[in-house]
Amino acid sequence: AEMERTFIAIKPDGVQRGLISEIISRFERKGFKLVAIKIVVPSKEFAQKHYHDLKDRPFFNGLCEFLSSAPVVAMVWEGEGVIKYGRKLIGATDPQKSEPGTIRGDLAVVVGRNIIHGSDGPETAKDEINLWFKPEELVSYTSNAEKWIYG
Ligand code: DAT
Ligand code: MG
């Protein structure tokens, strides 16, 4: 199996709405493996680093204010194809355009409150994991289910 890791965050709206377990369970039931998790209130400066690619967009300031306004659940998930398929589980950025069955499609209504973040490619996954987690916070382990998930 070609194992990858991706950074997934439940944003303040997802945490406040009680959707932590709902979101985790979608990744878990799929067969992906949780290798890091913590709850944290990021500073605004940290949020700006996380979203640096969007610094010229008109919504950048509001986005960073929002991300730093309340607790976020930061996670790293591992599995074959998890970066790309994680984005599929999440759905389109604008929940009005997300398919039913996706996290945003099922659980969110507007783009500014779309409850979850997921890395959009291998490079951003690496950068975001390094930004949010120290190496020793990532736990490598074998799950008993792996041979039944991957064959
Ligand atoms: P994604 O979170 O799907 O990777 P993105 O990286 O383009 O989307 O944008 C990051 C976040 O910024 C997104 O989850 C919600 C917010 N955002 C994006 N476009 C927006 C817009 N047009 N108005 C307000 N917020 C927006
Ligand atoms: Mg993005």
Side-chain angles (χ1 to χ4, degrees), residues 7-16 20 37-43 46-47 50 66-75 115-117 132-133:
F7 174 71
I8 300 292
I10 306 172
K11 298 185 198 178
D13 48 347
V15 174
Q16 294 299 322
I20 297 171
I37 184 167
K38 62 183 168 187
I39 184 161
V40 54
V41 183
S43 67
F46 190 93
H50 171 74
F66 176 61
L67 193 74
S68 58
S69 67
V72 169
V73 173
M75 299 176 279
I115 71 172
I116 180 167
H117 168 84
W132 287 81
F133 288 98

Side-chain angles (χ1 to χ4, degrees), residues 11 51 54 59 63 87 92-93 104 111-112 114 116-118:
K11 298 185 198 178
Y51 279 128
L54 299 170
F59 55 83
L63 177 64
R87 295 279 298 190
T93 302
R104 286 168 174 166
V111 69
N114 64 6
I116 180 167
H117 168 84

Side-chain angles (χ1 to χ4, degrees), residues 5-8 49-53 83 87 117-132:
R5 287 176 171 180
T6 194
F7 174 71
I8 300 292
K49 268 188 207 162
H50 171 74
Y51 279 128
H52 67 274
D53 283 349
I83 300 172
R87 295 279 298 190
H117 168 84
S119 305
D120 63 9
E123 282 311 309
T124 47
K126 203 174 300 167
D127 292 347
E128 290 170 359
I129 291 167
N130 288 336
L131 176 65
W132 287 81

Side-chain angles (χ1 to χ4, degrees), residues 91-99 104-105 108-112 114:
T93 302
D94 180 354
Q96 296 284 341
K97 298 183 178 136
S98 314
E99 295 297 329
R104 286 168 174 166
V109 184
V110 299
V111 69
N114 64 6

